[in-house]
Structure formats: C-alpha cells, structure tokens
Amino acid sequence: MSAQTLGMPRDERFVRRLSSKSTSTTDLNMGPTVVVPPKHLTAPSDAHEIAAAMEIARHSIELPITPPSAPGTPLETTVTGKYAFAFDIDGVLIRGGKPIPEAIEAMKVLNGQNEYGIKIPYIFVTNGGGKSENERCLQLSQQLQIEVSPGQFICGHTPMREMAEKYRTVLVIGGEGEKCRQVAEAYGFKDVVTPGDIIKDNQDTTPFRKLTEDEHNNSRLRNFAEVEIDAIFVFADSRDWASDQQIILDLLMSKNGRLGTRSENFDEGPPVFFSHNDVVWSTSHDLTRIGMGALRVSLEAMFKAVTGTDLQTIAFGKPQIGTFEFATRLLQQWRKETHGINEPPETVYFVGDTPESDIRGTNEFNNEAENTWYSILVRTGVFREGTKPKFQPKVTVDTVLDAVLHGLEREQKKALKRRVLEASIEAETIEE
C-alpha cells in the first residue's frame, strides 16, 4: 500500500493521514486527507488539527459533505477562531525549492509552540502554478516537515476549475511536461490541448523548436485543421516563450480558434486567461526573475505590433479579488464548523513578499471585506530594502517568523484591551 492510513472513519468528517513520502496524487483524490511527514506517522502532530479542519472545510464548500448526526454542532478545537494567517509561498516560506529557516520556526509558533500556548489557523495562497493543489501539498509537507492538507492551498489557477463547464476544448500553456494538462483534466476540462500536440501535428508551426523524444511520445496526434479551440489558459510559466507565443498568436488571429485560418479583423480568436500576473518572482537567484506577468505584457505588445489592435487578457491569482474572496469563504466555512460562527475570522494576516500582488491584493480586498485583512511584507523575497513599494503594507518585517510574532503580539494586546474594557463595564454595573 502506497499510503499509510491511521484510524477508522466514524462519519463523513473522517480525514485520512497519508505519508508524504509514499503517497501519490491519486491517493489524495480519495476523500479528505492530510499529508504527514514520515516521522509523524505514528501519531498526529501539532499541525494535524488545523490541517484536518481546513480539509473538511474545503470539501464542504466545493463538494458539500453531509454533516454528522448533530447538524451545526461545532467540532472540538483548541485553535483560536478570532484570527488567521494566509501565506504566500515562494519568497516567504520557500526559496529556490528550499525552506527559509525561519519558516520552520514560524509553523511551530502557529501550531502552539508559543508562550501563550495558542494554535492559530493558516492557509497558503500562492500564484505559483503548473501543479495541482494535491502536489503542492505533498511538496510543502516534505519541505517544511509538517502535516498539511490540500484544503489549505489556493493556487493561482484554482478558480479556473469553475470554467470547465463553459469551455470544452482548451489550450493549456506552461509547466513541466504534461503536468498542466493533468491539472486541467483534474479540474474537469473535457478536451485539453498542449503546444506539443499542435507541433506534433505540424512541425513547421514553430520553426526553431523541435519536440524532444519524451514530448513527442506524450503529445497527442490529431488534425488541428478540424479542431476549434474555445479558450487559452496559461496555467504556469512558459518553458519556451517563442513557440508558445507563436501558437497563442496564431489562435488569437484565427477564425473561431481554428489553426491555419485568419480572421479579417483579428477579433474572432479565443479568450486568453493567465493564472496570475506577477511580472517578477523570487527564486534561488540573487535577483528576481521574470514570470508570467511578463509573458502577458509581451503577448499583448506583440499582438498590438502584428495586428495594430489591442488585446484584452484576463488574469486570476493575486491581486485579483476572486482569490481573496475564495480564501474568505474557506476560512468562514472553517470557523463555522469549528466554532459555530458563520463569519470569517475577525482578522486575516496576509504575509507576502511581492508588493504588486500580495500587498496590493490584500489592501484592496481589505477596503471591501467584511473582516480585516492585514498586509505584512517580508524582506526574504521580491522586495528589496532601499526600494519604496508602490503598495504599502501595514508593516514590513525581516522574515515570516517576525510576521507571525507580530500578528500574535498584536492580537494579545487587543485581547488584553477587551478584557480591561469588559472589567471596567462590569465594575460600573456593580456600582450602579
């Protein structure tokens, strides 16, 4: 058996514990699960309660679960319901595929190893794509050595699953090998095409790119003169800008998404969706590297240069409001099931490294949200000391550990003020 499962299900809220070392993404599709580092398999860790509860909440909002015998009864919990944390991943918790040292300590603090003994709920909101939420879960569990669940992850392309019923035949761009096709198919898209499929059908499509043996074997042969592509989705960073942009341009200038045709006014092509709009991002390199947002800018400029008309594209992810709305629904469902309160946590601390997406999105959503979204910028990623961010955070700190400690101390001060106020009101009432 590739996954180790502990315990026996008592009702639909049962959450399986699966090894991060031996579990496959297929195993994760078999119901609510938590991914566990091998050293924690013998017993639940401090992180188990938060991971399991978020997984249940995620299944409740995406695939409603029949509640157990007492509807509306909150689960038993030792986790605060007053506030929560949301983290970007690259540049905040991970850099160049390796955990930032302070990230390990930050997770310990959130999971109760702090002077107050408080556990604090948390989720991960990342623009990184090209992998399913399940695969990101496996990866982060191994990197941070904690229990996490797929339900805690919101990727840039997560909202794209809601478009599977609208578009049948779609072109997916970016990522490694066939991973983006697999993600799109897991989201429910019926007919998923890759650039490799198109090049396999006509090698002259991209004069300077030839498919490798693996790409040729994995690409699906079909006659694209008879296929109409309904939409284009950039799920992850392109691995070959020249060929990908050529194929996208061909489709944008086509008649109804049929390759080999040309629209008279270049206005009959399929829509283009990007999973996020980050122009730069943090990697293991000392300086930031260009990302999907740069591809979007380049594509729009190229379309203008070739056709003389403007191209309108659509981006998901941060700072788009839909990402924050989804995060709020998830946290509200979690609080409802664990605390019996059908409202999101009073404050969500969002920790990010990119002012243009993390901080901008948090601040703009805070202006219209029912609760408070509090932006914290860290210095371990895109942001560099000495520069002035266009979008100002509530506070700037060195590391994610500093961000967690800042939020914790801020909440403790708020709690103390509430207690003092309540005591004062009670004293006045007694005097009267």
Side-chain angles (χ1 to χ4, degrees):
M1 187 170 67
S2 63
Q4 180 167 345
T5 304
L6 301 183
M8 294 295 291
R10 291 177 294 178
D11 53 47
E12 290 86 351
R13 291 176 181 264
F14 171 70
V15 178
R16 300 174 305 145
R17 301 179 70 241
L18 306 178
S19 169
S20 64
K21 187 174 183 179
S22 58
T23 296
S24 68
T25 53
T26 301
D27 295 321
L28 286 166
N29 291 325
M30 299 171 61
T33 56
V34 169
V35 175
V36 188
K39 65 180 181 181
H40 293 148
L41 275 173
T42 55
S45 70
D46 290 340
H48 176 76
E49 182 179 357
I50 294 172
M54 285 296 177
E55 178 72 352
I56 291 171
R58 180 66 167 264
H59 275 258
S60 294
I61 63 175
E62 292 187 347
L63 298 170
I65 301 174
T66 303
S69 56
T73 301
L75 299 174
E76 292 185 7
T77 182
T78 60
V79 184
T80 180
K82 290 286 188 181
Y83 60 105
F85 277 83
F87 297 99
D88 181 33
I89 295 179
D90 292 313
V92 176
L93 301 172
I94 305 296
R95 184 165 183 173
K98 297 180 180 179
I100 294 170
E102 291 83 1
I104 305 291
E105 293 303 313
M107 293 297 108
K108 290 179 180 179
V109 171
L110 291 170
N111 289 310
Q113 295 185 36
N114 55 69
E115 62 180 297
Y116 308 103
I118 295 174
K119 287 188 176 183
I120 307 162
Y122 52 92
I123 58 175
F124 308 102
V125 185
T126 175
N127 276 348
K131 298 176 182 177
S132 68
E133 292 83 353
N134 289 352
E135 189 170 350
R136 292 305 299 264
C137 169
L138 287 170
Q139 186 179 41
L140 195 63
S141 176
Q142 293 168 357
Q143 290 167 327
L144 296 181
Q145 286 296 295
I146 62 170
E147 292 192 42
V148 294
S149 68
Q152 290 174 281
F153 284 80
I154 301 173
C155 299
H157 49 57
T158 297
M160 290 181 176
R161 68 169 66 237
E162 299 176 356
M163 308 182 80
E165 295 299 320
K166 184 175 182 180
Y167 301 108
R168 177 174 175 77
T169 301
V170 299
L171 171 68
V172 295
I173 300 290
E176 302 172 0
E178 294 287 291
K179 286 185 177 180
C180 284
R181 192 202 307 262
Q182 293 164 2
V183 172
E185 290 176 341
Y187 282 178
F189 286 97
K190 304 296 189 299
D191 184 17
V192 182
V193 174
T194 69
D197 298 346
I198 293 170
I199 297 171
K200 188 172 184 176
D201 177 52
N202 183 353
Q203 293 187 13
D204 294 329
T205 300
T206 55
F208 304 113
R209 178 185 172 185
K210 304 301 178 185
L211 297 181
T212 65
E213 184 177 351
D214 283 345
E215 289 173 333
H216 188 273
N217 291 337
N218 289 323
S219 297
R220 302 170 184 175
L221 184 61
R222 60 196 300 181
N223 181 6
F224 281 97
E226 301 175 353
V227 175
E228 289 189 359
I229 293 176
D230 301 318
I232 302 167
F233 290 92
V234 184
F235 268 54
D237 288 301
S238 168
R239 268 45 175 185
D240 190 322
W241 279 38
S243 63
D244 286 346
Q245 287 191 106
Q246 178 66 71
I247 291 170
I248 295 173
L249 278 171
D250 282 345
L251 286 170
L252 291 174
M253 296 189 293
S254 71
K255 284 183 173 291
N256 301 316
R258 191 182 290 266
L259 287 164
T261 66
R262 279 288 184 268
S263 168
E264 183 176 345
N265 296 315
F266 308 117
D267 59 357
E268 300 175 71
V272 185
F273 302 94
F274 290 81
S275 67
H276 67 83
N277 195 39
D278 285 351
V279 175
V280 296
W281 65 298
S282 177
T283 71
S284 56
H285 196 279
D286 291 339
L287 302 176
T288 57
R289 305 290 87 186
I290 56 175
M292 189 183 298
L295 175 65
R296 184 187 184 193
V297 171
S298 174
L299 180 65
E300 291 174 349
M302 194 177 302
F303 185 84
K304 176 78 171 181
V306 173
T307 68
T309 59
D310 293 324
L311 172 66
Q312 299 297 321
T313 61
I314 300 171
F316 292 89
K318 300 168 292 182
Q320 308 306 316
I321 215 74
T323 297
F324 293 89
E325 290 175 337
F326 188 90
T328 299
R329 291 200 302 273
L330 173 60
L331 290 169
Q332 178 167 333
Q333 183 66 29
W334 169 84
R335 197 181 188 204
K336 177 183 177 182
E337 296 194 4
T338 57
H339 291 78
I341 302 173
N342 193 18
E343 296 175 354
E346 295 172 8
T347 303
V348 179
Y349 293 93
F350 194 104
V351 186
D353 70 312
T354 308
E356 289 73 18
S357 58
D358 298 324
I359 305 307
R360 177 185 179 183
T362 305
N363 291 349
E364 290 180 353
F365 185 64
N366 179 60
N367 291 334
E368 63 179 62
E370 296 180 3
N371 60 342
T372 297
W373 280 71
Y374 187 100
S375 57
I376 303 179
L377 180 65
V378 295
R379 297 185 175 97
T380 51
V382 169
F383 173 69
R384 285 290 180 268
E385 194 65 38
T387 63
K388 184 177 181 180
K390 181 178 180 181
F391 302 95
Q392 291 290 328
K394 293 290 186 181
V395 64
T396 301
V397 297
D398 289 333
T399 71
V400 65
L401 177 59
D402 297 319
V404 169
L405 293 176
H406 172 80
L408 178 59
E409 292 301 322
R410 184 172 181 270
E411 290 298 320
Q412 289 303 307
K413 290 178 181 178
K414 286 166 60 177
L416 178 59
K417 288 181 180 179
R418 281 196 299 266
R419 289 195 295 270
V420 170
L421 179 59
E422 290 169 358
S424 175
I425 294 174
E426 183 178 355
E428 291 176 1
T429 302
I430 293 173
E431 290 178 2
E432 292 176 359

